[in-house]
Every structure is written in C-alpha cells, then in structure tokens.
Amino acid sequence: LLFLIICQCAINSVNTHHVSNPNVILLMADDLGIGDLGCYGNRTLRTPNIDRLAEEGVTLTQHIAASPLCTPSRAAFLTGRYPIRSGMAAFSRVGVFLFSASSGGLPSEEITFSELLKQRGYATALIGKWHLGMNCESSNDFCHHPLSHGFDYFYGLTVTNFRDCKPGQGSVFLKGAQKSLVIPIQIAGITLVSLAIAQYIGLLKVPFQALGYCLLITAISLAVLIFFFYHFRHLNCFLMRDHQIIQQPLCYENLTQRLTKEAVQFIGRNTDTPFLLVLSYLHVHTALYASKNFRGKSKHGLYGDAVEEMDWSVGQVLDVLEKYNLSNNTLVYFTSDQGAHVEEISSSGEVHGGYNGIYKGGKSMNWEGGIRVPGLLRWPGVIQAGAYMDEPTSNMDIFPTIVKLAEAQLPSDRIIDGHDLMPLLQGKVTRSKHEFLFHYCNAYLNAVRWHPGNSESVWKVFFFTPNFSPEDSNGCYDSHVCFCHGGFITWHDPPLLYDLSRDPEEKVPLTPETESRFHEILRVIQLAVDKHTRSLQAVPDQLSWNNLLWKPWLQPCCSSLLQSCYCD
C-alpha cells in the first residue's frame, strides 16, 4: 500500500509539472496560405513535419490573424491585443514598416508574453523576422528592438524580407515610387522652368537667391531619393545578432539553415531550464529563396521549394526536442502572420504567392483568405492528438495561453483581447470565448464576426470591401496590395452579411429576403461595435508618416556609408 501511495504521489507530481512551466516554441511563417499545407488539404506540396504537428496535436480550422498585414498582426500576437490599442495600426495608406531607420515601433508601454515569461525565469529568444521597429531617437538606442521587449537573444532581421533585398527579384517600391513621385517631380520641374523663363523675359521678378534655393532643395531631395533607393539593399537588408549587425547586406545562401541552426543551438543550451523560442521564418514572403537541396524539387516552382524548405526546418526543431527528451514538456505552435499574398507574381510571370484554399482574397484583406491562417498546437499527453476544432480562435490567444501556463500574472491595467486556449485544447469546453472578433483594415474597422453562444452560425458583416483590380479577379493586382480607404474601397449600407458556417467562401451576401433575422443580426453586431469602440483609448500613431519615413540619423550601419555599410 505504501508503495502504491508513493507511486501515485510521483505520478501526480509529474502531471503537475507537466502542465505548468512548459517549454514554448512558437513557429510563425510569413504570408503562408492555409491551403499550402497537407494538413489543410494540399495534395501537391510536401509538408510532412508540419502535418505531424496536426497528427499529434490540435488543428484549428477557424484560426484568425488579428490583422491581414505583417506589422499589426505580429504586434497583436506578442501583446494579445488588437493593434489599434497599441498604435500599431495605420491611418495612412502604408500599414507596415518599410525602413530600418524609421522611428516607429512597438511601444515600450506594451507588455509582451516574452517579458512576462522572462520574469518567470524563462530563457527567451527570437530568431528570424521582427518587423516591429528598432530605434527611436538615435541609431543605437534600440527602443523597439526585440531585446527591449523581453527577449534575451535575437538573431534575425529587424524589418522584413523584401524583393529589393535580393538582386534580380525586382522592387516593391518601383511602381509606387513611379506613381507617387513622377507627377510631383514634373510639376516642380515645370514650375522652376516657368519661373526662370518669366524672370528672363521680365514678366515676373523672382529673387535670384530664392530661385537658387528652390533649385538646390529640389536637387538635394532628388539626390537623397536616388541614393536611398540605389543603396536600399545595403541600408535595410541586414542580419543582426542581439544589437550587432553581423551581415550587411543580407545574403540568402543557406539562410534557412542558419536560422534553424540558431534555433537548435538555443534549445540545446536550455535543456535544463524552461525556454520560449519564437522562430519567425522569412519564408514565404518575397523575395523567395531556397537552398540548393530544395531548389527545383517541388511541384510549385520556387514558392513550393520555399514551403518545403521551411517544413524541413520545422522537422529539425521537432527532432532536437526528441533528442533531448523535451517533446512531452514542450508546447509547439505553428501559424502564419496572415494569408497568402495572391498578387505576388514575378517579373517573369511566375506565381510567387501562396494558396488560400477555398477562401476569398488574401494578404491585406479581411476576406477569409487574408485572415484565416494555419493554427496547429502540439503538446503530447496534455492536449488532444489528431483533433479538429472549428471554433473561432485568434493569434492573440497565444498571449494569455502561454502566460497562464508559465504561471505568470496577466496584466490587470489593460484590456487583453485574447483568451486562454487550454480549456478548448484539452476538451474541457467546446465553445470559443470569442463571441465577437473585430477585423481591422489598418486602423479602420472593416468587418465583424459574431458566433452566438446558442447557434452554430458564424455571422460576418463587412462595412466596406476593397475594389479588386481587375474587377473580376481575386485581388488588387494593379496596386500589388489592397488599400483601406478613399477610392480603393466601396462602402456598404446596409453592411454585407454572410453566414460563414454555410458560406465559408463568402460568395453570396445575405439579404432581408434570404435571412429573416437580417436586421436583428446587424443590430446586435452594431451594439458590439459600439461597446468595442468605447473600450479604445487614444494612443500615439506608430505608423504615422513621421514614424514611417527614413531618417538618416537612425540608420544602422556596421561599417560606414563610404563603405556602403558592408560587413560579413
């Protein structure tokens, strides 16, 4: 009897340890479509390691990104809060950070899950893409840097992977620069020439000094623009370890192998202490790349090669957990920051964007293709294996989930929009706590999802929708991404209404004739919008033009501008 009591105590002790203070590995792809993975129905791309997470864990089939763009989605992921609450949602056209020398970023007042886990004794690391700012007032204050937001170790990119970072892959800025700058330059040129002619023939007396200053300012502005875009790759595409730039410009050769090696080594260094690892892949954002072992091996060109290389990397991480007997005490999560970028087509006509399955639209849109993302969670022996859950969940839910698992306290001085997933994952409850989810296009409330507690329906209303170009397409191909205001959108009064439980492809909006509760549904959703809007507080806009623009004095450079900021 004594032996049995001792054994039972030992088992209880193991179980108690098993469900508290686990290691946490968060794997985030970039621009990956939900239809790109075998576990979500793809039959031509090979993703056995990611599929293994689904087989050994839970597959969320209605997992929603808090934003269809990188920067705001990642801010929401780290803080558990809608990006509008932290100032990480733009009122301008540009909704993400484009330059390493911008002054905006995730505010220091925001609390990240990495900070809270670090306080609980976790070793914390971010490997890969950050895209939430770096400096505020000088080139080395690192106010927005990952190490200022709870990470002990950083190896990766502070901005993102651009086409401009890889020679021969074109530019994300060229079309926009042509549209935005050509007309102002022409106007300035015509104005200056007209003034000079008027001065010469005596129609108008313009002080020569003023004319000279105008010419000088115009010439300097043009010179700065030409210098910046000519040197864009050197100035914005670099690899850092902690606060030090170790490769400028970034080299893509074996890049995924290097990121994976860093992740594996971090796990190896922390086998005896709880750890948090965020492995934020550059795949499959353009510029696309794949190493020699994967190039040309998939059925979907370079995009498919990149997906399969990322899957290999996931396998390496899972293997090292097995090697150190850590699998049973590690929660692993895999997702994408938003849906696939359907407008991504290379200069040679090759499709460089992913597949969102049956869902409409993609990145930058709040149609399901832009926000319904993979959501896979594995924790052997603790959460269900091989289970599928169709309840609405959010990438903001990771914050309270892992904070509670680490036995840290959730912040009480702010609204946390995410909910703990563990009761759902363990089968203790069958309904999501998200009755409403609010879908923002930048800082503008675009759509709302309502899952009533007494119904299987998932209602979704759109207040406005993007204008596709061409009209009969599935995206905004003329502008490369869809925008959120002005002539780029169409407002709807009454709002468009869909029932995603019956029409997940958002093909046929409901009307009062086809849905008897039409007006009642809109009324309930409007009440929820009013309540949500009252909960918002004014905060500094981190994505204002002032915070977005390139500021030379904030430019990180590992050598000198005369050496084109080169180091390796």
Side-chain angles (χ1 to χ4, degrees):
L1 180 62
L2 181 62
F3 175 75
L4 290 173
I5 292 172
I6 292 171
C7 286
Q8 186 62 48
C9 288
I11 290 168
N12 291 340
S13 174
V14 169
N15 286 340
T16 301
H17 172 73
H18 200 54
V19 295
S20 64
N21 298 302
N23 305 311
V24 178
I25 296 179
L26 308 176
L27 307 168
M28 178 172 278
D30 196 353
D31 291 2
L32 181 75
I34 194 170
D36 287 328
L37 303 176
C39 52
Y40 284 95
N42 194 297
R43 294 293 171 261
T44 52
L45 281 173
R46 295 167 296 186
T47 56
N49 296 296
I50 297 171
D51 297 347
R52 179 179 156 199
L53 291 175
E55 292 163 8
E56 299 174 359
V58 171
T59 301
L60 304 175
T61 59
Q62 197 180 166
H63 194 49
I64 307 300
S67 170
L69 283 175
C70 307
T71 293
S73 177
R74 290 162 185 270
F77 172 64
L78 279 166
T79 63
R81 289 153 52 83
Y82 288 110
I84 191 73
R85 298 193 191 279
S86 57
M88 297 294 280
F91 288 91
S92 63
R93 182 187 299 186
V94 180
V96 300
F97 294 115
L98 300 174
F99 312 125
S100 62
S102 297
S103 56
L106 188 63
S108 58
E109 296 80 13
E110 288 299 312
I111 297 173
T112 63
F113 54 62
S114 45
E115 291 178 65
L116 296 176
L117 266 64
K118 184 176 181 178
Q119 291 170 10
R120 291 289 301 157
Y122 275 67
T124 58
L126 174 73
I127 294 169
K129 171 177 168 172
W130 173 241
H131 211 180
L132 295 172
M134 183 159 68
N135 295 312
C136 290
E137 296 178 356
S138 70
S139 62
N140 59 358
D141 63 31
F142 302 115
C143 65
H144 301 307
H145 190 277
L147 298 194
S148 299
H149 282 290
F151 291 102
D152 298 321
Y153 183 70
F154 172 62
Y155 180 91
L157 282 68
T158 57
V159 193
T160 188
N161 175 26
F162 289 109
R163 283 190 195 181
D164 305 69
C165 293
K166 191 179 179 188
Q169 294 297 305
S171 171
V172 296
F173 297 103
L174 193 57
K175 186 182 288 187
Q178 286 173 340
K179 285 185 176 180
S180 304
L181 297 176
V182 169
I183 291 176
I185 289 170
Q186 288 175 342
I187 292 172
I190 291 169
T191 302
L192 288 171
V193 170
S194 300
L195 287 172
I197 292 171
Q199 170 83 0
Y200 179 75
I201 63 177
L203 285 176
L204 187 66
K205 287 194 175 182
V206 181
F208 182 78
Q209 195 173 17
L211 197 60
Y213 280 135
C214 287
L215 283 167
L216 182 63
I217 291 168
T218 303
I220 290 173
S221 299
L222 280 172
V224 169
L225 279 172
I226 292 168
F227 171 85
F228 177 76
F229 284 110
Y230 183 77
H231 291 281
F232 181 92
R233 178 169 169 255
H234 289 77
L235 298 177
N236 294 284
C237 311
F238 51 78
L239 189 64
M240 296 188 80
R241 177 178 280 116
D242 293 335
H243 289 144
Q244 182 183 3
I245 297 175
I246 58 173
Q247 190 176 59
Q248 190 172 8
L250 173 71
C251 173
Y252 285 87
E253 188 67 29
N254 294 322
L255 181 56
T256 301
Q257 283 74 9
R258 284 180 275 157
L259 296 174
T260 305
K261 181 180 178 182
E262 289 285 336
V264 166
Q265 289 179 340
F266 173 77
I267 294 170
R269 291 195 300 269
N270 292 285
T271 55
D272 296 323
T273 188
F275 64 81
L276 163 70
L277 169 63
V278 179
L279 179 49
S280 177
Y281 290 103
L282 276 63
H283 287 319
V284 281
H285 196 293
T286 52
L288 294 179
Y289 68 96
S291 61
K292 185 178 178 181
N293 289 341
F294 295 92
R295 204 175 302 134
K297 301 296 175 63
S298 79
K299 295 180 180 180
H300 291 282
L302 188 54
Y303 183 89
D305 300 342
V307 171
E308 293 185 0
E309 182 173 51
M310 178 174 62
D311 180 78
W312 164 85
S313 175
V314 171
Q316 296 298 297
V317 172
L318 298 182
D319 288 348
V320 79
L321 291 178
E322 294 286 347
K323 175 183 175 182
Y324 293 117
N325 296 315
L326 296 173
S327 295
N328 291 342
N329 195 36
T330 303
L331 174 65
V332 180
Y333 167 72
F334 180 89
T335 192
S336 178
D337 54 357
Q338 68 266 325
H341 193 172
V342 295
E343 298 96 343
E344 272 291 2
I345 298 175
S346 74
S347 55
S348 63
E350 183 181 355
V351 174
H352 277 189
Y355 176 53
N356 292 316
I358 65 170
Y359 303 111
K360 185 175 182 177
K363 178 178 179 175
S364 82
M365 308 171 230
N366 281 306
W367 296 112
E368 289 297 283
I371 55 175
R372 195 181 288 224
V373 293
L376 304 171
L377 295 106
R378 187 196 78 165
W379 188 0
V382 178
I383 64 176
Q384 304 170 73
Y388 287 81
M389 294 184 180
D390 195 36
E391 287 291 292
T393 57
S394 169
N395 64 350
M396 296 184 292
D397 296 337
I398 297 305
F399 179 97
T401 301
I402 64 174
V403 167
K404 287 186 178 181
L405 286 173
E407 299 180 335
Q409 291 295 315
L410 286 172
S412 58
D413 62 342
R414 64 199 62 204
I415 293 173
I416 301 298
D417 297 298
H419 295 293
D420 182 9
L421 286 173
M422 286 306 293
L424 199 62
L425 298 175
Q426 292 182 296
K428 294 178 180 178
V429 299
T430 58
R431 302 288 293 200
S432 165
K433 289 185 179 180
H434 287 291
E435 183 179 2
F436 297 96
L437 280 170
F438 302 93
H439 306 306
Y440 281 85
C441 187
N442 286 355
Y444 306 100
L445 185 59
N446 184 187
V448 179
R449 177 184 309 248
W450 177 34
H451 185 37
N454 60 351
S455 170
E456 294 303 312
S457 291
V458 179
W459 307 105
K460 185 177 177 184
V461 301
F462 278 92
F463 303 112
F464 64 85
T465 51
N467 298 329
F468 285 170
S469 54
E471 284 186 21
D472 59 349
S473 68
N474 188 41
C476 302
Y477 290 84
D478 292 347
S479 54
H480 193 60
V481 292
C482 294
F483 296 114
C484 304
H485 60 281
F488 298 102
I489 62 172
T490 296
W491 286 91
H492 302 284
D493 185 16
L496 299 184
L497 174 66
Y498 298 90
D499 182 358
L500 298 178
S501 68
R502 292 179 287 167
D503 182 17
E505 299 170 66
E506 297 169 298
K507 281 185 172 181
V508 183
L510 299 169
T511 66
E513 291 71 37
T514 58
E515 175 51 62
S516 60
R517 295 162 292 174
F518 183 88
H519 293 293
E520 174 63 14
I521 293 163
L522 294 186
R523 187 188 69 81
V524 172
I525 288 175
Q526 187 57 54
L527 289 173
V529 169
D530 293 341
K531 181 180 178 181
H532 168 71
T533 303
R534 288 194 298 271
S535 76
L536 302 177
Q537 297 179 344
V539 292
D541 181 3
Q542 296 297 324
L543 288 150
S544 66
W545 284 113
N546 180 52
N547 281 327
L548 282 172
L549 291 176
W550 179 59
K551 297 177 179 176
W553 59 93
L554 298 183
Q555 181 60 54
C557 187
C558 64
S559 54
S560 70
L561 287 175
L562 293 175
Q563 296 172 293
S564 298
C565 293
Y566 177 82
C567 65
D568 190 358

